[in-house]
Amino acid sequence: MEYDLYAGIKPVVGPVTIDLGVIRYGYTNQPPGPHEDYTEWKVAPSMAIGPATVGLAYFYSDDFFGETGPAAYYEINASMPIGKTPFSVGGALGHQAVNGPLDYTTWNLGVSYALNSHIGFDLRYWDTDEHGFGDIYKSKIVFGVKATFP
C-alpha cells in the first residue's frame, strides 16, 4: 500500500496563489533492496484567467523512489468549472526527470465534483509516453476523494 502525507501553505501574491508543500510517499511491506519511500518538495503557482485556473508545478526529491537519486517533475495544468454547477474539468501535461533512463512524459484529463468546500471527488484518465517500465506506467482511470482541513 502507498500512503501519502501532505503539508503546506498557500500564500497569495497579487493574482497568484503559490502552493508550497512537502509530500512524504510511504510504502508498507516493501520488498528487500532499495527503499521505496521518498520525500518531495512542491512549488506550484496558479492564477485565475476568466473562469479558468491555470498553473505550473515543480516537484523535487533529492532521493527519489527506489533510491534512484535526485528527480524533478515539471507540469502545466488547467481547470475550469462547468457553468454554475459543482462540476469542473481539468487536465495537466508534465515531465518526470529521473537519473538514468527513467524519464517520461505524463498527462491527465478528468472531471471533478465539489460536494462542499472541503470534500471533492475526481474521475481522471492518466497516461504516459512510457509503458515499458511496467504496470505502474500503463494508462489508468482513477477515482479519487479529497478532503481538506481549514
Side-chain angles (χ1 to χ4, degrees):
M1 176 182 79
E2 175 182 322
Y3 60 90
D4 304 342
L5 303 174
Y6 296 78
I9 59 171
K10 285 188 176 182
V12 177
V13 179
V16 179
T17 300
I18 305 169
D19 187 351
L20 302 170
V22 61
I23 307 164
R24 176 67 178 171
Y25 298 93
Y27 299 88
T28 60
N29 301 320
Q30 294 185 43
H35 288 278
E36 297 172 344
D37 299 352
Y38 66 99
T39 300
E40 206 167 46
W41 298 91
K42 174 185 180 182
V43 176
S46 64
M47 66 184 288
I49 298 179
T53 299
V54 296
L56 302 171
Y58 174 73
F59 295 82
Y60 176 79
S61 176
D62 63 348
D63 195 10
F64 195 59
F65 180 87
E67 298 176 359
T68 53
Y73 177 77
Y74 312 87
E75 178 183 280
I76 184 168
N77 54 65
S79 66
M80 184 166 174
I82 300 174
K84 296 183 187 273
T85 72
F87 290 94
S88 62
V89 293
L93 174 65
H95 183 75
Q96 179 72 59
V98 184
N99 283 344
L102 302 176
D103 290 10
Y104 60 91
T105 299
T106 180
W107 56 90
N108 68 72
L109 183 62
V111 62
S112 299
Y113 176 80
L115 183 62
N116 56 43
S117 62
H118 298 288
I119 299 174
F121 303 96
D122 187 78
L123 183 63
R124 188 158 303 271
Y125 171 81
W126 295 82
D127 204 355
T128 74
D129 67 342
E130 178 54 69
H131 293 175
F133 295 144
D135 285 344
I136 194 169
Y137 293 90
K138 291 182 181 174
S139 60
K140 306 271 191 242
I141 295 177
V142 177
F143 176 73
V145 178
K146 181 178 180 179
T148 60
F149 304 94

